[in-house]
């Protein structure tokens, strides 16, 4: 089984404990995970574009959905939470109900708290702490690297204001209000 399928299978285990009608991947890195989850489970999937399509359909969401469906968001990494937050805003503005996200790695830099404050509970396969522990126990990283990563997590935290700043820097635009 490919790594992508293995990860998607584990994400599906998290998803099985969360009520949902439809899946949506956060562009772009999480889209393959959401696609494999959708095909494996038979749950419909929609896709959020990074930018609204400026011609033809002019949509931000692609796929078939109905208002008031419960949408589970799929993300690969949460750092500040800005990307996930923007996806949630787009989904909610189209009438979908979003209360949860499943993610591969929660980096423990404040993003999950910001999402929680916006009504989104994040369930992750790994936090940075347990990923570092797994790699250290497997002899794949040194104690020095463990320290460097731990210091970075402690020193580089995001609150609601930093989420907006980081998102603007990365995407040259602002996060819509959720
Ligand atoms: O929580 P955040 O601070 O938003 O950071 C996490 C996001 O960053 C990466 O995406 P990126 O914006 O690099 O785009 P990509 O998925 O298209 O590579 C990653 O795939 C997450 O979506």
């Amino acid at each position: 089984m490919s790594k992508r399928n293995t990860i998607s299978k584990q994400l599906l285990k998290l998803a099985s404990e969360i009520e949902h009608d439809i899946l949506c991947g956060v562009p772009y890195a999480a889209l393959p995970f959401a696609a494999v989850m959708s095909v494996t489970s038979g749950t419909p999937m929609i896709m959020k574009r990074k930018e609204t399509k400026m011609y033809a359909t002019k949509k931000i969401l692609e796929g078939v959905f109905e208002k008031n469906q419960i949408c589970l968001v799929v993300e690969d990494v949460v750092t500040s939470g800005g990307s996930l937050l923007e996806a949630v805003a787009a989904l909610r503005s189209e009438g979908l109900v979003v209360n949860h996200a499943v993610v591969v790695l929660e980096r423990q830099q404040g993003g999950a708290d910001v999402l929680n404050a916006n009504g989104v509970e994040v369930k992750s396969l790994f936090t940075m702490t347990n990923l570092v522990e797994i790699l250290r126990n497997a002899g794949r990283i040194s104690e020095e690297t463990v320290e460097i990563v731990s210091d970075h997590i402690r020193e580089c935290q995001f609150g609601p204001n930093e989420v907006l700043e980081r998102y603007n820097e990365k995407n040259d635009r602002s996060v819509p209000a959720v």
Side-chain angles (χ1 to χ4, degrees), residues 103-108 123-138 141 146 149-150 153:
V103 314
V104 180
L105 176 63
E106 202 282 274
R107 289 175 40 138
Q108 298 172 296
K123 302 255 187 200
S124 66
L125 293 182
F126 301 101
T127 61
M128 190 59 105
T129 302
N130 57 44
L131 184 63
V132 163
E133 202 176 311
I134 290 165
L135 292 172
R136 177 178 51 194
N137 292 344
I141 56 173
V146 172
V149 174
S150 306
I153 293 172

Side-chain angles (χ1 to χ4, degrees), residues 34-163:
V36 174
M37 289 169 72
S38 172
V39 171
T40 307
S41 65
T43 307
M45 174 193 163
I46 54 176
M47 192 194 83
K48 180 199 161 284
R49 292 179 175 278
K50 274 202 176 181
E51 306 288 349
T52 303
K53 190 164 168 170
M54 297 309 287
Y55 59 95
T57 56
K58 298 189 176 161
K59 286 179 177 174
I60 188 79
L61 298 183
E62 296 289 350
V64 179
F65 62 91
E66 288 169 19
K67 284 191 195 310
N68 299 318
Q69 277 186 314
I70 301 173
C71 181
L72 177 62
V73 185
V74 180
E75 174 65 299
D76 60 334
V77 178
V78 169
T79 305
S80 69
S83 308
L84 216 160
L85 201 55
E86 191 194 65
V88 170
L91 293 163
R92 286 177 175 167
S93 73
E94 295 287 330
L96 287 153
V97 176
V98 189
N99 299 321
H100 292 91
V102 290
V103 314
V104 180
L105 176 63
E106 202 282 274
R107 289 175 40 138
Q108 298 172 296
Q109 288 178 252
D113 293 335
V114 170
L115 287 157
N116 222 302
N118 284 282
V120 183
E121 190 181 341
V122 175
K123 302 255 187 200
S124 66
L125 293 182
F126 301 101
T127 61
M128 190 59 105
T129 302
N130 57 44
L131 184 63
V132 163
E133 202 176 311
I134 290 165
L135 292 172
R136 177 178 51 194
N137 292 344
R140 302 293 291 269
I141 56 173
S142 65
E143 286 300 327
E144 192 191 353
T145 303
V146 172
E147 282 302 308
I148 291 169
V149 174
S150 306
D151 288 348
H152 177 74
I153 293 172
R154 256 193 312 276
E155 286 162 17
C156 190
Q157 289 287 317
F158 297 93
N161 296 335
E162 290 84 12
V163 170

